[in-house]
Amino acid sequence: MSVTRPVRVHFAVDVENLQAHQSVYVVGSSDVLGAWEANRAMPLVQDPDRSMRWKATIVSDVDQLKFRYFIGYNLMSDQGEKLIVDKWEAFLHPRSTLCIAESRNGECRADRVDLFGYYAGRKCVSDGWLQHPDENQILLRLHGNALKFYKTAKERKNCRVKMTPLDVRFKAPPSGHISFSYGEDEEDEEEDPNAPSNKCTHSTTHVAVLSDPRPKFYDQEETGVVFNNNKDYLVFRTHCLAAEFLAFYIEIFSDERKRIGACYALPSALQDASGIIHLPFINSSGRPIGQVSIEYLCVRALTRLDGPQLMDETYCRHWKKRNALEVGHRGAGNSYTKFAMARENTIHSLNTAAKNGADYVEFDVQLTKDRIAVIYHDFHVLVSVARRDGHALPPPMTREQLDSSNLDFHELPVKDLKLSQLKLLMLDHLSFPQKKENVKKLVETSEEEEDFKPFPTLVEALTKVDPDVGFNVEVKYPMMQNNGEHECDHYFERNLFVDIILADVLKHAANRRIMFSSFDPDICSMVATKQNKYPVLFLCVGETQRYTPFQDQRTSTSMTAVNFAVGADLLGVNFNSEDLLKDPMPVKKANEFGMVTFVWGEDLDKKENIQYFKKELGVDGVIYDRIGEEERRRNVFIVEREQKRALLSCSGASTPQRAPSPSPVSSSEGNNNSSSPPLSAKKLSMTRNSQSDSALLEESEEDMESMTEKLNITGFQSAPMVSTK
């Protein structure tokens, strides 16, 4: 509601360790603060007396303002300067102020100074996301036997590697080119007049050492970072707005920090979305002395949405601590290699798990030939084809008769079949020829209702499954295995693949709880980088005798998986139960980083193992088959919602009230899920009674905490959030 007398609202925030090219911005619920669009955010001005303090003032005539701070910098494109979000406050609820109620003599927040990333007793900062159509993130990785020297009998140790980005349209700085001890260079031609300007089109390069105990990104040193073959794992990261002109100047230094050689990775070497390049490097006299092998990943911005991704709500770093969530594996359970009452990964199976009290359901998503996201686990299906024997066609036979007479099976990738073909063809699961008992057939000969059929689309699941149950969307992307076999080669381009799935979720998820996961580390990085709303968990195989391991080193151990997830700024890790039963230390390490931990695996078929992971290891979620069949349970979100309503009814709450804005307090670095002491109970009313109340989404949790403690509601421990009107 508008007020007749505008007030001046002051913003002041202290930001530590800000770099020279970075600035601080505030984005919020009013037009003057950009209406939650990062590109329209208000820049703050650095205080000349305190270099770490940034300030701004606006005139507002609204009752309540909500806002967030973020750190950004500008890059140049063909269309002019564009703002890049580097770090932002990713609290579930943004900061909030009641402009009139908190004003004195027409001034609001005049004496208030915030601390970037700290609010309501918590620290929560997330990396930015790709928001411009031409914005790209380039990741370069060195691992394994990446450095090779041609004439060195003894392998060099503790070499150092530095990667410097450059735009090939501009003259490189003196430190960005190879110098020779002979000859004279021809003078450079004038720079491209169509280039944006001599301002930077790319960011500086940061590096993360995944083999290091602190695997987060940081600035490179002048002589790079140490790399040893078959020991270290380096990831270099750069943002750019002109990927077609982006190159890298790569320098190799000795242990004594003397330059050994250098080379260029030119734009032509980075044409695909991902790959590996082998680059010879030369010394200062121009002689080739070795080779460096680099894996790369080019992440492009998500462009399939109707508008910009806003900053008003985010769950990417949010996790409410409670008893472990219970997640239905493929809905009601694996039905093709195990016995389950309902066919897995169908609408019926997902709703059955929801009816049985699952908090979340987990399912697998991949694309059909016509680029439709469908729910199915395996990359291949068996197509049944009757043999031609040269005789007249037999009379109509049942499928069982065909199976025993003249039926052949042909394995085809799901990616090579359109959705209509998947719906019409007589298909079987890959395990069908073994004719295992109590295994559900992929397609029945009799007519079935649509919800019982395989290959539902992702959109159908989002719109037809009970909205109270959350979705753990496993993004299936084929990988190379240790045995040399690829799960499904010649697959979709990664960016296209991820964009289709993300667009479906962002457009149709509504208020449903969503989390993403994948066994492919690059897919996890892409999902987290392309959107700013939903969290991502890294699915880890770890050390296993049960499954075929992947070649990707980041999946080799559970400890390595934790380091990757920390470096990629993911919410957490989904561990393999087989590995954790042998060594539970990865869970402890993940907890030290403030990460969320889930567990999946066949060991969870045993109830005692489920209890071990829930009670002794204290994981945040368990994923298992046939949820709720042996022991009835209720969805925790429904239970909490009913308890909240009962508490409110007992308290006689009628008018929502808001406590004064909390002051920032310090928190241990890296622990984004730490809890602070509960705030005093405040009266609150809730008027939403529709089933979309499944989307209370932990709203106003701190308002309920003290009342909940009085009633001794088990497992209801929440990190306090700011209350909303």
Side-chain angles (χ1 to χ4, degrees):
M1 182 180 71
S2 298
V3 297
T4 56
R5 182 170 53 85
V7 298
R8 286 165 51 88
V9 183
H10 299 262
F11 301 96
V13 60
D14 286 346
V15 184
E16 300 173 340
N17 303 319
L18 202 66
Q19 297 184 1
H21 68 284
Q22 295 175 324
S23 298
V24 184
Y25 299 79
V26 59
V27 63
S29 55
S30 70
D31 284 338
V32 70
L33 296 182
W36 296 117
E37 290 187 32
N39 290 329
R40 297 172 51 203
M42 168 177 282
L44 304 186
V45 178
Q46 193 170 21
D47 190 325
D49 299 323
R50 298 182 182 88
S51 60
M52 66 183 295
R53 184 161 298 172
W54 295 72
K55 295 181 174 182
T57 303
I58 66 170
V59 176
S60 176
D61 59 357
V62 298
D63 284 338
Q64 184 183 38
L65 270 179
K66 299 179 182 180
F67 60 96
R68 301 181 192 269
Y69 297 112
F70 69 89
I71 298 171
Y73 57 89
N74 288 310
L75 293 181
M76 185 60 65
S77 72
D78 293 337
Q79 295 80 37
E81 281 191 334
K82 293 185 178 180
L83 177 61
I84 308 299
V85 178
D86 189 29
K87 301 282 185 183
W88 65 297
E89 296 181 329
F91 304 105
L92 173 65
H93 296 293
R95 299 175 186 267
S96 180
T97 184
L98 297 176
C99 302
I100 303 303
E102 298 181 6
S103 66
R104 298 291 183 271
N105 301 320
E107 305 288 329
C108 178
R109 292 174 47 88
D111 300 323
R112 176 65 187 268
V113 178
D114 301 312
L115 181 59
F116 179 76
Y118 291 87
Y119 185 52
R122 301 181 66 222
K123 179 183 180 182
C124 191
V125 177
S126 180
D127 289 342
W129 70 100
L130 304 179
Q131 55 174 329
H132 305 290
D134 54 349
E135 186 178 355
N136 298 266
Q137 183 186 86
I138 312 299
L139 298 172
L140 305 175
R141 302 193 297 268
L142 263 69
H143 62 91
N145 196 31
L147 278 181
K148 178 181 178 182
F149 291 90
Y150 295 145
K151 291 188 176 181
T152 302
K154 187 176 180 180
E155 182 178 356
R156 287 180 177 263
K157 293 186 177 181
N158 297 322
C159 289
R160 306 179 69 90
V161 181
K162 183 180 181 182
M163 298 197 184
T164 305
L166 55 93
D167 190 315
V168 294
R169 294 171 292 179
F170 306 131
K171 187 175 181 179
S175 61
H177 61 80
I178 304 172
S179 58
F180 299 104
S181 58
Y182 61 89
E184 185 175 343
D185 286 346
E186 181 182 358
E187 290 189 9
D188 286 343
E189 298 179 1
E190 293 184 4
E191 292 182 350
D192 185 356
N194 296 320
S197 76
N198 59 358
K199 291 189 177 180
C200 223
T201 62
H202 53 77
S203 69
T204 57
T205 295
H206 297 89
V207 63
V209 184
L210 299 191
S211 48
D212 191 81
R214 302 295 297 179
K216 295 192 174 183
F217 281 93
Y218 62 92
D219 293 335
Q220 297 182 93
E221 297 183 28
E222 272 303 308
T223 54
V225 61
V226 173
F227 176 80
N228 287 289
N229 280 337
N230 301 311
K231 177 183 177 182
D232 296 312
Y233 196 118
L234 309 185
V235 183
F236 298 85
R237 182 179 69 185
T238 301
H239 277 72
C240 72
L241 294 177
E244 65 272 27
F245 300 108
L246 181 69
F248 288 90
Y249 177 56
I250 303 166
E251 297 171 278
I252 314 296
F253 297 88
S254 68
D255 189 19
E256 296 78 22
R257 298 179 182 256
K258 295 181 179 179
R259 194 169 74 170
I260 301 172
C263 62
Y264 287 104
L266 297 175
S268 58
L270 308 173
Q271 287 293 315
D272 299 324
S274 60
I276 182 168
I277 53 177
H278 306 284
L279 304 171
F281 55 88
I282 61 178
N283 60 16
S284 58
S285 63
R287 182 171 64 87
I289 59 172
Q291 175 182 281
V292 58
S293 300
I294 303 171
E295 284 186 349
Y296 68 91
L297 175 68
C298 301
V299 187
R300 295 193 291 269
L302 174 62
T303 58
R304 290 175 171 263
L305 302 179
D306 299 329
Q309 298 185 56
L310 303 181
M311 301 178 68
D312 53 338
E313 72 175 1
T314 177
Y315 311 97
C316 63
R317 304 300 304 167
H318 171 71
W319 190 261
K320 175 186 170 183
K321 283 294 183 181
R322 51 162 67 84
N323 286 341
L325 296 181
E326 299 193 24
V327 183
H329 181 227
R330 305 184 197 175
N334 184 338
S335 65
Y336 297 134
T337 59
K338 297 181 183 179
F339 175 71
M341 296 299 294
R343 181 184 291 115
E344 69 183 53
N345 280 335
T346 61
I347 300 298
H348 172 66
S349 179
L350 300 176
N351 273 323
T352 297
K355 184 179 178 180
N356 289 346
D359 305 317
Y360 274 73
V361 287
E362 180 271 349
F363 55 79
D364 315 275
V365 176
Q366 54 184 301
L367 297 188
T368 62
K369 185 178 181 179
D370 43 353
R371 298 178 181 178
I372 297 174
V374 295
I375 299 175
Y376 189 68
H377 178 267
D378 289 16
F379 290 109
H380 297 81
V381 293
L382 290 181
V383 179
S384 307
V385 180
R387 302 190 194 98
R388 294 182 59 184
D389 55 9
H391 301 290
L393 289 175
M397 292 190 292
T398 66
R399 190 172 182 194
E400 287 71 20
Q401 291 172 322
L402 281 173
D403 291 339
S404 60
S405 60
N406 61 347
L407 198 63
D408 280 339
F409 295 101
H410 297 272
E411 184 176 322
L412 291 179
V414 173
K415 73 176 181 69
D416 290 343
L417 296 170
K418 296 181 179 180
L419 179 60
S420 59
Q421 294 171 321
L422 290 169
K423 297 282 189 181
L424 292 175
L425 289 173
M426 190 61 71
L427 303 176
D428 272 304
H429 187 266
L430 293 179
S431 65
F432 180 74
Q434 283 75 32
K435 300 184 181 296
K436 294 183 179 180
E437 296 181 359
N438 296 327
V439 172
K440 273 281 182 184
K441 296 167 73 69
L442 179 55
V443 177
E444 299 288 354
T445 53
S446 58
E447 285 295 322
E448 291 182 295
E449 294 182 20
E450 195 64 30
D451 288 357
F452 290 77
K453 295 180 180 179
F455 306 107
T457 67
L458 177 56
V459 173
E460 287 173 339
L462 289 165
T463 55
K464 296 174 70 174
V465 174
D466 185 340
D468 280 317
V469 68
F471 279 3
N472 179 352
V473 182
E474 181 187 334
V475 183
K476 297 283 291 186
Y477 199 86
M479 300 173 64
M480 181 64 75
Q481 299 173 304
N482 266 351
N483 59 9
E485 295 182 5
H486 200 283
E487 290 185 302
C488 186
D489 53 9
H490 306 296
Y491 209 65
F492 297 97
E493 191 271 323
R494 289 176 182 270
N495 284 282
L496 170 68
F497 176 82
V498 171
D499 286 0
I500 292 172
I501 295 172
L502 284 181
D504 281 353
V505 172
L506 291 170
K507 290 177 182 178
H508 300 282
N511 291 322
R512 189 186 300 277
R513 296 169 179 85
I514 300 286
M515 67 176 72
F516 290 98
S517 62
S518 181
F519 284 106
D520 188 316
D522 288 343
I523 294 296
C524 288
S525 295
M526 296 175 83
V527 173
T529 304
K530 286 173 176 282
Q531 52 87 39
N532 67 355
K533 190 169 184 177
Y534 297 118
V536 182
L537 300 179
F538 178 38
L539 263 170
C540 169
V541 175
E543 297 182 20
T544 177
Q545 301 297 321
R546 189 174 294 155
Y547 309 102
T548 304
F550 298 116
Q551 281 189 3
D552 196 309
Q553 186 179 332
R554 293 168 291 180
T555 71
S556 59
T557 69
S558 295
M559 285 293 193
T560 305
V562 172
N563 277 14
F564 163 73
V566 171
D569 199 35
L570 307 183
L571 181 67
V573 180
N574 193 348
F575 295 103
N576 179 4
S577 60
E578 178 190 3
D579 201 9
L580 289 190
L581 287 174
K582 292 181 290 187
D583 180 12
M585 285 303 295
V587 172
K588 181 180 179 181
K589 183 177 181 182
N591 290 336
E592 291 173 356
F593 283 114
M595 308 206 80
V596 170
T597 57
F598 272 56
V599 181
W600 66 277
E602 295 185 18
D603 303 287
L604 297 180
D605 289 345
K606 297 181 179 179
K607 185 177 179 180
E608 57 268 26
N609 287 335
I610 294 177
Q611 293 305 312
Y612 166 74
F613 289 119
K614 290 172 60 176
K615 303 300 183 183
E616 295 191 36
L617 288 192
V619 299
D620 296 293
V622 289
I623 304 174
Y624 62 95
D625 291 313
R626 305 180 64 182
I627 191 167
E629 288 186 15
E630 295 183 2
E631 183 177 328
R632 300 295 293 177
R633 69 181 312 277
R634 295 192 67 203
N635 179 299
V636 65
F637 307 118
I638 297 177
V639 172
E640 288 180 0
R641 186 171 72 235
E642 292 175 353
Q643 290 170 342
K644 290 177 183 180
R645 287 175 175 166
L647 288 169
L648 292 171
S649 177
C650 293
S651 68
S654 58
T655 304
Q657 298 182 5
R658 180 185 181 278
S661 299
S663 300
V665 297
S666 61
S667 173
S668 59
E669 182 179 354
N671 188 350
N672 294 333
N673 299 303
S674 60
S675 297
S676 64
L679 303 178
S680 60
K682 297 177 287 292
K683 292 184 179 180
L684 177 69
S685 68
M686 295 185 181
T687 58
R688 290 164 45 182
N689 296 316
S690 66
Q691 199 167 23
S692 65
D693 272 352
S694 65
L696 283 176
L697 295 171
E698 286 72 56
E699 185 175 314
S700 302
E701 288 168 352
E702 80 287 6
D703 296 293
M704 307 306 307
E705 186 162 331
S706 59
M707 288 188 288
T708 301
E709 288 176 346
K710 292 178 182 179
L711 293 187
N712 193 26
I713 297 175
T714 304
F716 191 83
Q717 298 177 354
S718 64
M721 304 286 179
V722 62
S723 61
T724 56
K725 187 172 180 180

